[in-house]
Amino acid sequence: MTTTADRSGQFQLGDRTVHRTGYGAMQLAGPHVMGPPADREAAVAVLRRAVELGVDHIDTSDYYGPHVTNEVIREALHPYPDDLTIVTKIGARRTPEGEWPEALEADELRQAVHDNLDHLGLDVLDVVNLRMPGFAEPVERSVTGPMETMAALQAEGLVRHIGISNVSTSMLAEAQEVAPVVCVQNHYNLVHRDDDAMIDALAREGIAYVPFFPLGGFTPLQSHALEEVARSLETTPMEVALAWLLARSPNVLLIPGTSSVAHLEANLEAAARVLGPVELEQLDRIGG
């Protein structure tokens, strides 16, 4: 029997309780997250299968494609199940060359919210992450101006909850002075653990932490060590990396992406895997 998302446990995301393994929609767009998918029917099938298997947290953005992933999500799932939480992000735009320049002015953020609403077919967005500049690392800068715009959009009823992405501890604290934050989305994995203290602090506050790049930034030696652990468990490095993230802290939510139903089901298998103390010790040594 195929594993379902409920095996990963649950955590609070704003006023919703979601399964800790969700789905990231970025890979539903074409190459380099630009243009349509090679097989739109397959993309629709993945989304529908995800919901069938209990995935109730989908992460997306209107700048994936741009517009493509949101349009595919709407085609596959609208009208949306009552228990489905759709999380989107704003703060960047796409150029014809596929670059990701920032778009953090008030009018740009406001337009991005309306674009997400229109392409998803919603009247209000469940959670919107404010994406700050930076790719694998945050760029230290003030978040007060963009957060004030986010708070205004929330007050207008267009955004239910606010999240933030690509932030340091000090940037998060500044954001929380403007408005409540329900989740943080940063680069974090077995070997990139700069946010260890942040994760623990957020767990104490009941705030979700959503890591991206589960296999990003590994050295060849670290990758080899992870492969050895995966072989001993008769599984894949990605499944081990995802299982480790879930074991790391109860407030960690996963958003692995795929355009394959088989890969989707494998990701849910990873979420059900219980790592023992020996495996956890081996993995922590890789990260050290």
Side-chain angles (χ1 to χ4, degrees):
M1 185 175 67
T2 303
T3 302
T4 56
D6 66 305
R7 294 286 299 278
S8 64
Q10 293 182 308
F11 195 76
Q12 202 72 14
L13 184 56
D15 59 359
R16 309 291 288 271
T17 300
V18 299
H19 294 126
R20 293 179 63 204
T21 298
Y23 175 79
M26 178 185 283
Q27 293 187 35
L28 296 183
H32 310 295
V33 204
M34 290 292 286
D39 187 336
R40 191 179 182 97
E41 288 185 8
V44 168
V46 167
L47 286 161
R48 290 178 177 166
R49 183 60 172 155
V51 171
E52 284 176 3
L53 294 175
V55 170
D56 54 11
H57 165 211
I58 292 178
D59 182 88
T60 185
S61 175
D62 207 54
Y63 55 65
Y64 295 163
H67 316 313
V68 171
T69 62
N70 282 353
E71 290 171 347
V72 174
I73 290 169
R74 183 174 184 172
E75 177 183 343
L77 301 176
H78 195 278
Y80 302 110
D82 290 342
D83 63 348
L84 180 64
T85 299
I86 296 180
V87 179
T88 188
K89 65 180 67 65
I90 62 176
R93 59 183 176 83
R94 303 302 300 281
T95 68
E97 297 75 30
E99 295 174 344
W100 308 72
E102 68 178 68
L104 293 167
E105 295 299 322
D107 59 336
E108 293 174 311
L109 295 173
R110 185 170 291 276
Q111 184 60 54
V113 163
H114 283 286
D115 288 345
N116 278 277
L117 289 167
D118 290 345
H119 290 115
L120 287 167
L122 291 168
D123 297 320
V124 58
L125 298 172
D126 293 325
V127 182
V128 178
N129 282 311
L130 172 66
R131 179 192 185 274
M132 297 302 294
F135 192 62
E137 304 287 347
V139 176
E140 286 286 348
R141 59 185 287 180
S142 175
V143 300
T144 296
M147 277 296 295
E148 287 175 344
T149 301
M150 297 291 289
L153 290 162
Q154 185 178 46
E156 293 168 26
L158 299 176
V159 173
R160 186 166 287 117
H161 298 292
I162 299 169
I164 196 161
S165 179
N166 286 341
V167 291
S168 64
T169 300
S170 60
M171 294 167 72
L172 171 61
E174 182 184 346
Q176 290 175 305
E177 290 178 359
V178 178
V181 170
V182 302
C183 59
V184 173
Q185 192 174 111
N186 273 4
H187 178 200
Y188 180 85
N189 58 38
L190 177 60
V191 302
H192 187 276
R193 300 184 59 173
D194 293 353
D195 279 357
D196 271 338
M198 180 189 289
I199 290 173
D200 294 338
L202 291 173
R204 290 191 292 270
E205 296 178 49
I207 296 173
Y209 183 92
V210 187
F212 55 79
F213 298 152
L215 289 179
F218 282 60
T219 68
L221 283 176
Q222 289 168 331
S223 294
H224 179 70
L226 178 59
E227 288 167 5
E228 287 189 337
V229 174
R231 276 196 299 271
S232 72
L233 295 171
E234 298 182 344
T235 187
T236 66
M238 176 60 87
E239 288 197 27
V240 174
L242 294 177
W244 180 85
L245 284 167
L246 284 176
R248 170 61 185 80
S249 181
N251 65 322
V252 169
L253 303 181
L254 302 184
I255 50 168
T258 178
S259 57
S260 157
V261 168
H263 191 195
L264 166 74
E265 294 176 353
N267 288 338
L268 293 176
E269 289 284 349
R273 181 176 293 278
V274 177
L275 298 173
V278 173
E279 291 86 8
L280 288 172
E281 183 181 354
Q282 287 178 290
L283 293 168
D284 282 336
R285 283 203 303 269
I286 296 171

